[in-house]
Amino acid sequence: MSFPDPIAVFRTEAAELLEQIEAGLLDLNVNLGDKDQVDAVFRGLHTLKGSGAMFGFEALAAFTHHCETAFDRVRKGEVPATHALVTAVLGARDHMRALVETPMGDHEAMSETLLDNLRRAVDGADSGDAAAPAAGPARILYKIRFSLPQNAMANGTNPLPLLDELRDLGTCRIVADRSKIPSLDVLAPTDLHIAWDVELLTDQPRSAIDDVFIFVMDDMELVVEEVAAPVEPEAPVTTIKAPAAAPEPTISSSLPAPAAVASPATNAPADAKAAKAAENVRVPAERLDELMDRVGELVIAQSRLSQLAGGSGDLQLRAVSEDVERLSGELRDTMMVLRMVPVTQLFGRFRRLVHDLANETGKRIELVTEGETTEVDKSVIERLADPMVHLVRNSCDHGLETAEERRVAGKPEAGRIHLSARQQAGEVIITIKDDGRGINKDRVRAKAESSGLIQPNASLTDQELYQLIFQPGFSTAQAVTNLSGRGVGMDVVKRTIDALRGTINVVSRPGEGSEISLAIPLTLAIIDGLLVRVGNARYVIPLSAVEECLELSVEEDMRSRGRSFISLRDSLVPFLRLRDLFRTGTKPDPFQKVVVISTGSERVGLVVDQIIGDHQTVIKGMSKLHHDVGMFSGATILGDGGVALILDVGHLVAEGQQQEAHLRAAG
């Protein structure tokens, strides 16, 4: 049995903590008076510092300690939260990530620079607070007795930093109870047998004491008694100091879950949240991918079994085949749910990006998100991150105007970026919308003509013209900046969306803004398809794109030659003869079928010889020799062991619309 690498587990937990810290800072930047967010950021920093020290990330623990101290002062009301402080800690948060990823790197110079920024932000907040300091709260004497589990030190918990943290709360008198230490001949050096009695005189609330033991609360024995009359404790009889090299870390006996950071004595709702978090199990993504492959193979085997049972007269075999089909379908659906993650994991990344872009461009930018609960396959989310970054950066740099330009245009000074997600059939539609200046069609056309992408005065629809911005090297920027101007980003968007079998739609209104919609399949692993035959070969059409099926007789086929349109409820729909497109060299069947497919508002018909029926399709990628074949997005194995190619709906719809445009222009 293999056990996970503890350092890898820590890095995963640290990444989640850093995301929570960043989200808390961005929320705090909107409302600097939000005490809950101050506490959330403080707890995140506190957790990261303690976990880092436990796993040997001393530089991380020492650096994070300074940020934690700054927020502790904010939490105690000594300094106010300011935008400068939030910006400084956001920069420090990025450095913490570097300390997690490359702990042995040379980070000293950057650490000093960021800590200088942090000190200036805290000092500025301190000097800017003109209010007279309020009288300090009355000090209370607490009597504390605690003992850790016998195996605490073997698990990495050091009691000395806990005592140091108690000293930081006020005046302490600490006495070690050594009465349970066994004789030397049976004493194990890794076992802990000492308990501690502490008298603490402090102006901090009881919750501050609970925070000291937050990571070991579940396994330890802790008794805290509040003495009614505050009494100054006597001089300490026992002096215990941590090693000088230790950066005052808080050590935990096990890696803490981000949700389990509340005191059980003072926060019952947090207990419920922690209990709910304990029901979740962390599974490496590669294991889910491997399980998905196995489910895919099972679906193929089940398809072969169904075909064998269908050709057999054995009723028992048919019954078993139906049971296997039902169970494999349920397993497939369950597996698909396991791979689904909310799109908020994608949208959450752009809050920080927009914050940084606003600072870099000097513009005021608001980010609005909608449909965060929409779920998408995790592999789709991972591959959408880079294209979305390019689109959001492009909207902020090219799309939104400066505050002065917006005032002149009668718009609010703050520009708005709107991200939304929604499901539509078997696709998720992700939209990036801004209320900026819109796309300058004349400039796009001029750039395309000068680059040789189109002929001068070529007849193009708005959509065809807008699609030119996704060509490699295309850019209308007047100068190259840190944000844009090299014509690389939008090309990345196009290539990634094509690889995902998705489509891009662009709408722009001069002076009102632009809207880019990405239509992406919900999953890249298993889809429901419509199995068809063209000539002697079989093909799969994604069922989510199929609108309806019609019959096309030989007479109608002959009448439509030369124009390739069918009349569908008072509208003309272009269609493609797949037999001609694939050059099958076969004669058409007497009664051909037209499968009408669509992407968004665009429709096209595909003429096939036979519709075989529904087929549960396990998608296999094309080889490197065929990856640039645009009409196919993959292949699948059929029940009889044969191979069927999966049609790329977006490419075929574009082909049909292009054919329609040529016919209309010729007519």
Side-chain angles (χ1 to χ4, degrees):
M1 180 179 180
S2 61
F3 294 94
D5 178 11
I7 299 301
V9 174
F10 164 71
R11 286 195 168 107
T12 301
E13 294 284 357
E16 293 182 357
L17 285 169
L18 289 170
E19 287 181 6
Q20 292 177 9
I21 291 169
E22 181 178 89
L25 289 168
L26 293 172
D27 287 338
L28 182 62
N29 200 46
V30 176
N31 180 11
L32 294 174
D34 191 337
K35 299 295 185 184
D36 290 339
Q37 291 302 332
V38 171
D39 290 340
V41 172
F42 172 78
R43 289 182 182 276
L45 293 168
H46 187 73
T47 303
L48 183 63
K49 182 188 78 169
S51 300
M54 183 180 74
F55 284 94
F57 289 75
E58 299 294 342
L60 171 68
F63 181 80
T64 307
H65 173 72
H66 295 285
C67 299
E68 178 198 24
T69 301
F71 261 82
D72 192 34
R73 294 188 63 188
V74 175
R75 190 176 66 146
K76 293 176 179 177
E78 296 176 6
V79 296
T82 63
H83 294 295
L85 178 60
V86 170
T87 301
V89 180
L90 277 173
R93 175 261 179 205
D94 295 338
H95 186 58
M96 293 173 201
R97 182 174 60 184
L99 291 171
V100 170
E101 294 172 352
T102 57
M104 305 306 294
D106 184 9
H107 302 292
E108 186 174 350
M110 179 59 71
S111 296
E112 288 300 324
T113 300
L114 291 170
L115 290 180
D116 286 342
N117 294 339
L118 180 63
R119 279 190 285 268
R120 283 195 295 271
V122 173
D123 292 343
D126 203 359
S127 61
D129 188 6
R139 294 200 295 174
I140 301 175
L141 178 64
Y142 291 96
K143 289 187 176 182
I144 306 166
R145 180 176 177 83
F146 74 93
S147 61
L148 299 173
Q150 184 173 325
N151 62 350
M153 292 194 299
N155 289 336
T157 301
N158 186 349
L160 300 184
L162 300 177
L163 297 171
D164 285 342
E165 288 200 38
L166 288 175
R167 282 195 190 88
D168 290 341
L169 297 179
T171 308
C172 267
R173 178 177 182 272
I174 303 172
V175 178
D177 180 358
R178 295 168 289 184
S179 60
K180 294 185 179 180
I181 298 179
S183 59
L184 190 60
D185 56 338
V186 295
L187 176 64
T190 57
D191 287 350
L192 179 63
H193 301 281
I194 301 176
W196 286 270
D197 292 299
V198 182
E199 291 184 356
L200 171 64
L201 185 64
T202 179
D203 57 3
Q204 298 300 311
R206 160 65 193 273
S207 59
I209 300 174
D210 292 329
D211 285 344
V212 171
F213 302 102
I214 192 170
F215 300 133
V216 292
M217 186 74 75
D218 294 338
D219 301 323
M220 69 178 298
E221 293 182 6
L222 174 65
V223 177
V224 181
E225 179 184 354
E226 180 180 327
V227 179
V231 178
E232 287 288 347
E234 301 173 8
V237 228
T238 306
T239 301
I240 305 175
K241 286 193 176 285
E248 301 184 18
T250 301
I251 310 300
S252 64
S253 60
S254 60
L255 192 63
V261 294
S263 163
T266 60
N267 198 337
D271 274 348
K273 185 177 180 181
K276 184 177 180 180
E279 297 173 1
N280 298 325
V281 178
R282 187 183 303 280
V283 178
E286 55 269 20
R287 293 189 182 179
L288 281 181
D289 294 337
E290 184 178 347
L291 181 58
M292 191 72 224
D293 290 340
R294 297 293 179 271
V295 172
E297 298 298 331
L298 176 63
V299 169
I300 293 173
Q302 173 269 316
S303 179
R304 297 183 64 184
L305 176 61
S306 296
Q307 187 168 346
L308 291 173
S312 170
D314 191 334
L315 295 180
Q316 290 186 344
L317 178 61
R318 289 189 180 185
V320 171
S321 173
E322 291 174 358
D323 288 341
V324 172
E325 182 176 2
R326 174 179 56 81
L327 292 172
S328 65
E330 292 175 355
L331 181 60
R332 181 203 65 166
D333 294 341
T334 302
M335 189 63 226
M336 298 305 298
V337 171
L338 287 178
R339 289 171 58 96
M340 292 293 181
V341 294
V343 80
T344 185
Q345 293 191 13
L346 178 65
F347 285 0
R349 307 180 186 188
F350 301 110
R351 298 182 62 201
R352 173 66 183 281
L353 176 65
V354 169
H355 173 273
D356 292 345
L357 290 175
N359 290 337
E360 189 169 346
T361 61
K363 300 175 181 178
R364 292 181 56 190
I365 307 175
E366 296 177 354
L367 177 66
V368 179
T369 58
E370 181 182 355
E372 297 95 330
T373 58
T374 303
E375 292 189 333
V376 190
D377 191 294
K378 71 171 186 65
S379 59
V380 176
I381 288 286
E382 292 164 0
R383 296 169 66 177
L384 275 178
D386 283 346
M388 291 283 290
V389 166
H390 289 298
L391 292 173
V392 172
R393 288 171 69 95
N394 199 65
S395 291
C396 293
D397 189 30
H398 288 302
L400 297 181
E401 312 94 332
T402 63
E404 179 62 30
E405 290 172 335
R406 293 180 66 85
R407 279 197 301 269
V408 172
K411 297 180 179 180
E413 290 188 6
R416 173 170 291 192
I417 303 292
H418 187 273
L419 303 180
S420 64
R422 58 185 173 85
Q423 283 189 13
Q424 178 177 293
E427 295 181 323
V428 59
I429 310 298
I430 296 179
T431 303
I432 303 94
K433 182 178 180 181
D434 66 68
D435 62 349
R437 57 174 63 92
I439 298 176
N440 189 322
K441 291 191 292 185
D442 295 335
R443 186 180 295 177
V444 171
R445 176 179 284 276
K447 180 66 176 181
E449 291 178 355
S450 65
S451 303
L453 294 175
I454 61 173
Q455 295 296 322
N457 302 318
S459 176
L460 297 175
T461 64
D462 286 351
Q463 190 59 223
E464 290 172 334
L465 188 64
Y466 292 145
Q467 291 295 324
L468 294 175
I469 66 177
F470 299 103
Q471 293 294 319
F474 190 93
S475 176
T476 59
Q478 302 296 325
V480 176
T481 67
N482 290 336
L483 296 182
S484 60
R486 301 188 186 274
V488 177
M490 303 303 275
D491 176 33
V492 172
V493 174
K494 177 66 173 174
R495 284 189 284 109
T496 304
I497 300 305
D498 286 347
L500 289 170
R501 307 193 311 275
T503 57
I504 306 175
N505 186 63
V506 183
V507 177
S508 184
R509 293 169 292 277
E512 297 182 20
S514 303
E515 179 178 316
I516 298 179
S517 298
L518 311 177
I520 309 295
L522 284 175
T523 179
L524 303 178
I526 298 178
I527 61 171
D528 287 322
L530 185 67
L531 187 63
V532 300
R533 181 178 58 82
V534 180
N536 298 323
R538 289 168 291 180
Y539 302 90
V540 174
I541 304 173
L543 198 59
S544 61
V546 176
E547 285 197 354
E548 57 185 297
C549 300
L550 309 171
E551 188 171 288
L552 182 69
S553 65
V554 176
E555 293 78 12
E556 291 174 328
D557 187 20
M558 294 300 297
R559 283 199 303 268
S560 64
R561 287 193 175 275
R563 62 187 185 92
S564 298
F565 283 95
I566 57 173
S567 178
L568 186 61
R569 288 185 291 279
D570 299 329
S571 65
L572 292 177
V573 177
F575 66 84
L576 301 172
R577 293 177 174 86
L578 295 185
R579 186 188 317 100
D580 298 339
L581 200 61
F582 299 156
R583 300 176 185 175
T584 62
T586 59
K587 293 183 179 181
D589 279 17
F591 294 96
Q592 302 174 83
K593 306 295 187 294
V594 180
V595 180
V596 180
I597 61 175
S598 67
T599 57
S601 60
E602 307 293 343
R603 295 190 298 175
V604 69
L606 304 178
V607 178
V608 302
D609 288 324
Q610 180 187 4
I611 296 176
I612 300 175
D614 294 349
H615 185 267
Q616 208 171 77
T617 303
V618 180
I619 302 175
K620 301 292 184 181
M622 304 286 283
S623 72
K624 292 183 178 179
L625 296 175
H626 303 91
H627 74 279
D628 57 347
V629 179
M631 288 179 289
F632 307 113
S633 59
T636 187
I637 301 174
L638 302 176
D640 59 2
V643 175
L645 295 174
I646 302 170
L647 300 183
D648 187 325
V649 171
H651 182 90
L652 291 172
V653 169
E655 185 86 13
Q657 295 300 322
Q658 187 176 6
Q659 176 177 298
E660 177 187 7
H662 290 327
L663 289 173
R664 291 185 185 277

